[in-house]
Amino acid sequence: MTNPVESIRKKRDGEALSRPELEELIRGYVRGDVAEYQMSAFLMATYFRGMSEEETLVFTDLMLKSGEVIDLSSVPGRKVDKHSTGGVGDKVSLVLAPMVAACGVPVPMISGRGLGHTGGTLDKLEAIPGFQTRLTLDEYRGVLLDVGAVMVGQTAEIAPADRKMYALRDVTATVECLPLIAGSIMSKKLAEGIDALVLDVKTGDGAFMESEEKAIDLAQKLVAIGTRYGKQTVAFVTEMDQPLGFAVGNWCEVVESVECLRGRKVRDLMEVATVLGGAMVWLGGKASSIDEGMRYCSTAIWSGKAYEKFLQLTARQGGDTAPLRDPALYPRPSYSIDVVSPASGYIASFATRQIGILAIDLGAGRKKIDDGVDPKAGIVLKKKLGDRLEKGEVFAVVMTDNQQAGSHVVAEMQKCVGVSQNHFQPPPRIRRYIDANGVRPWTTPIIH
Ligand code: URA
């Protein structure tokens, strides 16, 4: 039996840990023998010292084996999921899962809660009254069979080490670390019974990997791990220099997603959702190329099938579909406060990470493990990068029940927008495509 203090010391001093040492640490943590403060110290040491490639693989494998690998062989078809490394206003999963399921590809999706300054799909789904994200494995299979998609959180059976560690990383500033992200994402994804995986690796101010170079490195490592486990895995590096879409918060993001499922064209959100969705439909064997898969996804939207699928999924998981059909039925925040621009010009930057942090200040995310979230809290932008903005014009609305937090966030939001006197052309949203054959720029759809 190894001593956790010894393993923490070794990592602190930059040494690589062996499989038995990592195993003892992870198993001990799940059992409760390694204390939260010891795991916090280990995570911080890893944040500074990193892990070797071999250690990252072992770490991922141990996280995966802390629970079960779900058997979905009773569900016909190739099962495909997508996972994002996390962003601000990243509501892609809410649009994508029903859209891809409507194309006939089963989507078993296990998501997380808010992490660091980013939002989490689970918190968004739980903003829908009654929506159950805690299902037993039998219920998980049952919903997938009935609806063609299922959206849940980790259970005690699915990578429980990640479930515990994820919550701890969220409140110990240990998120932005490549091996920890790789282990966290891939352990969950490899456990959920999929055949193929699409990864959305974000880059930019609002992403954990700010530089494109680091995002590509992470994408390559995630693809390599997936491939090694026999799952067809592809990744896209996508931009996170502004919130995706307009809404940042839980319920307001659900509303925006439903609007998109009903045909609203929020360009950046729908571009990312359609490209990732196209890749999922192709990997699911229902299209001969990503391009063709993208066309099927667009059809699923305009035909209304994707929207119907989301209503069906919500109802099947215990959620109330009435406020999805009519958002006016949802409780309103006590305060909705306009944020006006301090200057005129073209929007050349958003402090995206800071906007994510401000949404947490409003109550949309957690500062401590056991904090609750307020589904009504959030920020809705009125403008995107490159848009013209006049001094005194409203560019965002802050929503909260907490008046003091609201005033603070309104003042801070004014500093989150940068204007230029020159036209500003926003950068492309989808930067790279990565698969087992390497990295390619993403310019036009890839025909396979
Ligand atoms: N998503 C995850 O599931 N884990 C991370 O560490 C980052 C994003």
Side-chain angles (χ1 to χ4, degrees), residues 83-87 110-113 115 118 154 162 166 169 174-186 188-189 208 218:
H83 199 83
S84 156
T85 57
I110 295 175
S111 307
R113 300 195 177 281
L115 187 65
T118 70
Q154 278 159 280
D162 175 59
Y166 187 97
R169 285 170 60 219
T174 49
V175 176
E176 298 91 338
C177 172
L178 194 152
L180 298 180
I181 296 177
S184 165
I185 292 181
M186 295 312 287
K188 278 193 284 284
K189 298 291 113 175
F208 294 128
L218 174 61

Short mmCIF file of all heavy atoms in Angstrom, two decimals, residues 83-87 110-113 115 118 154 162 166 169 174-186 188-189 208 218, ligand 1:
data_model
loop_
_atom_site.label_atom_id
_atom_site.label_comp_id
_atom_site.label_asym_id
_atom_site.label_seq_id
_atom_site.Cartn_x
_atom_site.Cartn_y
_atom_site.Cartn_z
N HIS A 83 -18.57 15.71 -26.94
CA HIS A 83 -18.24 16.34 -25.67
C HIS A 83 -17.45 17.60 -25.95
O HIS A 83 -16.61 17.64 -26.83
CB HIS A 83 -17.42 15.40 -24.79
CG HIS A 83 -17.45 15.80 -23.34
ND1 HIS A 83 -18.49 15.45 -22.49
CD2 HIS A 83 -16.60 16.53 -22.59
CE1 HIS A 83 -18.26 15.95 -21.29
NE2 HIS A 83 -17.11 16.62 -21.33
N SER A 84 -17.74 18.63 -25.17
CA SER A 84 -17.03 19.89 -25.33
C SER A 84 -16.05 20.05 -24.17
O SER A 84 -16.33 19.59 -23.06
CB SER A 84 -18.05 21.03 -25.31
OG SER A 84 -17.46 22.23 -24.91
N THR A 85 -14.93 20.72 -24.44
CA THR A 85 -13.99 20.98 -23.34
C THR A 85 -14.48 22.14 -22.47
O THR A 85 -13.87 22.44 -21.46
CB THR A 85 -12.58 21.29 -23.87
OG1 THR A 85 -12.68 22.40 -24.76
CG2 THR A 85 -11.99 20.09 -24.59
N GLY A 86 -15.57 22.78 -22.87
CA GLY A 86 -16.19 23.78 -21.99
C GLY A 86 -16.03 25.19 -22.50
O GLY A 86 -14.95 25.60 -22.91
N GLY A 87 -17.15 25.93 -22.44
CA GLY A 87 -17.11 27.31 -22.90
C GLY A 87 -18.18 28.13 -22.21
O GLY A 87 -18.86 27.66 -21.31
N ILE A 110 -23.60 11.70 -21.57
CA ILE A 110 -23.35 11.92 -20.14
C ILE A 110 -22.61 13.24 -20.01
O ILE A 110 -21.53 13.41 -20.57
CB ILE A 110 -22.54 10.75 -19.55
CG1 ILE A 110 -23.38 9.47 -19.62
CG2 ILE A 110 -22.15 11.05 -18.10
CD1 ILE A 110 -22.67 8.23 -19.19
N SER A 111 -23.21 14.17 -19.29
CA SER A 111 -22.65 15.52 -19.23
C SER A 111 -22.28 15.88 -17.80
O SER A 111 -22.61 15.17 -16.86
CB SER A 111 -23.69 16.53 -19.71
OG SER A 111 -24.17 16.17 -20.96
N GLY A 112 -21.64 17.05 -17.70
CA GLY A 112 -21.21 17.53 -16.38
C GLY A 112 -21.92 18.82 -16.00
O GLY A 112 -22.68 19.40 -16.77
N ARG A 113 -21.62 19.26 -14.79
CA ARG A 113 -22.14 20.54 -14.30
C ARG A 113 -21.16 21.64 -14.69
O ARG A 113 -20.12 21.36 -15.28
CB ARG A 113 -22.29 20.49 -12.78
CG ARG A 113 -23.25 19.41 -12.36
CD ARG A 113 -23.72 19.53 -10.93
NE ARG A 113 -24.68 18.46 -10.68
CZ ARG A 113 -25.96 18.49 -11.05
NH1 ARG A 113 -26.44 19.56 -11.65
NH2 ARG A 113 -26.77 17.48 -10.81
N LEU A 115 -18.18 24.10 -14.76
CA LEU A 115 -16.80 23.84 -14.34
C LEU A 115 -16.01 25.13 -14.53
O LEU A 115 -15.99 25.68 -15.64
CB LEU A 115 -16.23 22.72 -15.22
CG LEU A 115 -14.86 22.17 -14.86
CD1 LEU A 115 -14.87 21.48 -13.50
CD2 LEU A 115 -14.40 21.16 -15.92
N THR A 118 -17.01 28.07 -16.89
CA THR A 118 -17.88 27.57 -17.97
C THR A 118 -19.17 26.97 -17.40
O THR A 118 -19.21 26.53 -16.26
CB THR A 118 -17.16 26.49 -18.80
OG1 THR A 118 -17.00 25.30 -18.01
CG2 THR A 118 -15.80 26.94 -19.28
N GLN A 154 -23.33 11.80 -14.41
CA GLN A 154 -22.67 10.57 -14.01
C GLN A 154 -23.41 9.95 -12.83
O GLN A 154 -23.81 10.65 -11.92
CB GLN A 154 -21.24 10.88 -13.57
CG GLN A 154 -20.30 11.00 -14.72
CD GLN A 154 -19.08 11.77 -14.34
OE1 GLN A 154 -19.11 12.99 -14.31
NE2 GLN A 154 -18.01 11.08 -14.05
N ASP A 162 -14.13 10.51 -11.58
CA ASP A 162 -14.25 11.81 -12.25
C ASP A 162 -15.37 12.63 -11.62
O ASP A 162 -15.22 13.85 -11.44
CB ASP A 162 -14.51 11.65 -13.75
CG ASP A 162 -14.75 13.00 -14.40
OD1 ASP A 162 -13.85 13.85 -14.32
OD2 ASP A 162 -15.84 13.23 -14.95
N TYR A 166 -14.17 16.12 -10.48
CA TYR A 166 -14.69 17.22 -11.30
C TYR A 166 -15.22 18.33 -10.38
O TYR A 166 -14.92 19.51 -10.54
CB TYR A 166 -15.80 16.64 -12.17
CG TYR A 166 -16.41 17.51 -13.23
CD1 TYR A 166 -15.98 17.45 -14.55
CD2 TYR A 166 -17.48 18.36 -12.94
CE1 TYR A 166 -16.58 18.22 -15.55
CE2 TYR A 166 -18.09 19.12 -13.93
CZ TYR A 166 -17.64 19.04 -15.22
OH TYR A 166 -18.25 19.80 -16.20
N ARG A 169 -12.25 19.96 -8.64
CA ARG A 169 -11.48 20.85 -9.53
C ARG A 169 -12.22 22.17 -9.75
O ARG A 169 -11.61 23.23 -9.86
CB ARG A 169 -11.25 20.15 -10.88
CG ARG A 169 -10.19 19.06 -10.80
CD ARG A 169 -10.16 18.23 -12.07
NE ARG A 169 -9.88 18.99 -13.25
CZ ARG A 169 -10.47 18.79 -14.45
NH1 ARG A 169 -11.36 17.85 -14.61
NH2 ARG A 169 -10.15 19.53 -15.48
N THR A 174 -8.24 24.16 -10.45
CA THR A 174 -7.34 23.15 -11.04
C THR A 174 -7.94 22.57 -12.33
O THR A 174 -7.69 21.42 -12.67
CB THR A 174 -7.05 22.02 -10.03
OG1 THR A 174 -8.30 21.56 -9.48
CG2 THR A 174 -6.15 22.47 -8.90
N VAL A 175 -8.72 23.39 -13.01
CA VAL A 175 -9.38 22.88 -14.22
C VAL A 175 -8.45 22.91 -15.42
O VAL A 175 -8.35 21.93 -16.18
CB VAL A 175 -10.67 23.69 -14.52
CG1 VAL A 175 -11.28 23.23 -15.81
CG2 VAL A 175 -11.67 23.55 -13.38
N GLU A 176 -7.74 24.01 -15.62
CA GLU A 176 -7.00 24.24 -16.87
C GLU A 176 -5.72 23.42 -16.95
O GLU A 176 -4.61 23.96 -16.92
CB GLU A 176 -6.67 25.74 -17.03
CG GLU A 176 -7.88 26.64 -17.11
CD GLU A 176 -8.35 27.17 -15.77
OE1 GLU A 176 -8.05 26.54 -14.73
OE2 GLU A 176 -9.02 28.19 -15.76
N CYS A 177 -5.85 22.13 -17.00
CA CYS A 177 -4.69 21.25 -16.95
C CYS A 177 -4.93 20.09 -17.93
O CYS A 177 -5.90 19.33 -17.75
CB CYS A 177 -4.54 20.76 -15.51
SG CYS A 177 -3.33 19.49 -15.31
N LEU A 178 -4.08 20.00 -18.94
CA LEU A 178 -4.35 19.06 -20.04
C LEU A 178 -4.59 17.62 -19.58
O LEU A 178 -5.61 17.03 -19.94
CB LEU A 178 -3.22 19.16 -21.07
CG LEU A 178 -3.49 18.51 -22.41
CD1 LEU A 178 -2.71 19.19 -23.52
CD2 LEU A 178 -3.22 17.04 -22.40
N PRO A 179 -3.71 16.99 -18.78
CA PRO A 179 -3.97 15.59 -18.41
C PRO A 179 -5.24 15.41 -17.57
O PRO A 179 -5.94 14.40 -17.72
CB PRO A 179 -2.73 15.18 -17.60
CG PRO A 179 -2.00 16.42 -17.28
CD PRO A 179 -2.40 17.45 -18.28
N LEU A 180 -5.55 16.41 -16.73
CA LEU A 180 -6.78 16.29 -15.92
C LEU A 180 -8.02 16.41 -16.81
O LEU A 180 -9.01 15.68 -16.62
CB LEU A 180 -6.81 17.36 -14.82
CG LEU A 180 -5.69 17.30 -13.77
CD1 LEU A 180 -5.86 18.42 -12.74
CD2 LEU A 180 -5.67 15.94 -13.07
N ILE A 181 -7.97 17.29 -17.80
CA ILE A 181 -9.10 17.42 -18.73
C ILE A 181 -9.24 16.14 -19.54
O ILE A 181 -10.34 15.59 -19.72
CB ILE A 181 -8.92 18.65 -19.66
CG1 ILE A 181 -8.93 19.95 -18.85
CG2 ILE A 181 -10.02 18.69 -20.72
CD1 ILE A 181 -8.68 21.22 -19.66
N ALA A 182 -8.10 15.65 -20.05
CA ALA A 182 -8.14 14.43 -20.88
C ALA A 182 -8.73 13.26 -20.10
O ALA A 182 -9.61 12.55 -20.57
CB ALA A 182 -6.74 14.11 -21.40
N GLY A 183 -8.25 13.06 -18.87
CA GLY A 183 -8.74 11.94 -18.06
C GLY A 183 -10.21 12.09 -17.73
O GLY A 183 -10.98 11.13 -17.78
N SER A 184 -10.61 13.33 -17.43
CA SER A 184 -11.99 13.59 -17.05
C SER A 184 -12.93 13.30 -18.22
O SER A 184 -13.91 12.57 -18.09
CB SER A 184 -12.10 15.06 -16.60
OG SER A 184 -13.42 15.47 -16.56
N ILE A 185 -12.62 13.88 -19.37
CA ILE A 185 -13.52 13.73 -20.52
C ILE A 185 -13.54 12.28 -20.99
O ILE A 185 -14.60 11.67 -21.16
CB ILE A 185 -13.10 14.67 -21.67
CG1 ILE A 185 -13.34 16.12 -21.27
CG2 ILE A 185 -13.86 14.34 -22.96
CD1 ILE A 185 -12.98 17.15 -22.32
N MET A 186 -12.35 11.72 -21.22
CA MET A 186 -12.33 10.42 -21.88
C MET A 186 -12.82 9.29 -20.96
O MET A 186 -13.39 8.33 -21.43
CB MET A 186 -10.93 10.13 -22.44
CG MET A 186 -10.52 11.09 -23.55
SD MET A 186 -11.76 11.35 -24.86
CE MET A 186 -11.65 9.80 -25.75
N LYS A 188 -15.31 9.44 -18.83
CA LYS A 188 -16.78 9.47 -18.94
C LYS A 188 -17.24 8.92 -20.28
O LYS A 188 -18.17 8.14 -20.36
CB LYS A 188 -17.29 10.91 -18.87
CG LYS A 188 -17.43 11.51 -17.53
CD LYS A 188 -18.23 12.81 -17.61
CE LYS A 188 -17.46 14.00 -18.14
NZ LYS A 188 -16.53 14.61 -17.25
N LYS A 189 -16.57 9.40 -21.32
CA LYS A 189 -17.04 9.06 -22.67
C LYS A 189 -16.81 7.59 -22.98
O LYS A 189 -17.64 6.95 -23.61
CB LYS A 189 -16.33 9.94 -23.71
CG LYS A 189 -16.60 11.40 -23.55
CD LYS A 189 -18.03 11.78 -23.88
CE LYS A 189 -18.82 12.25 -22.69
NZ LYS A 189 -20.17 12.72 -23.01
N PHE A 208 -10.65 26.78 -21.74
CA PHE A 208 -9.58 26.38 -20.82
C PHE A 208 -8.23 26.38 -21.53
O PHE A 208 -7.19 26.60 -20.91
CB PHE A 208 -9.87 25.00 -20.22
CG PHE A 208 -11.08 25.02 -19.33
CD1 PHE A 208 -12.11 24.11 -19.49
CD2 PHE A 208 -11.20 25.96 -18.32
CE1 PHE A 208 -13.23 24.14 -18.68
CE2 PHE A 208 -12.32 26.00 -17.50
CZ PHE A 208 -13.34 25.08 -17.67
N LEU A 218 -4.36 19.37 -27.08
CA LEU A 218 -5.37 18.63 -26.31
C LEU A 218 -6.23 17.76 -27.25
O LEU A 218 -6.47 16.58 -26.97
CB LEU A 218 -6.26 19.61 -25.53
CG LEU A 218 -7.46 19.00 -24.79
CD1 LEU A 218 -7.01 17.98 -23.74
CD2 LEU A 218 -8.30 20.10 -24.09
N1 URA B 1 -15.28 18.70 -19.52
C1 URA B 1 -15.08 17.66 -18.68
O1 URA B 1 -15.88 16.73 -18.61
N2 URA B 1 -13.97 17.65 -17.92
C2 URA B 1 -13.06 18.64 -17.99
O2 URA B 1 -12.07 18.56 -17.29
C3 URA B 1 -13.27 19.72 -18.86
C4 URA B 1 -14.41 19.73 -19.62
#
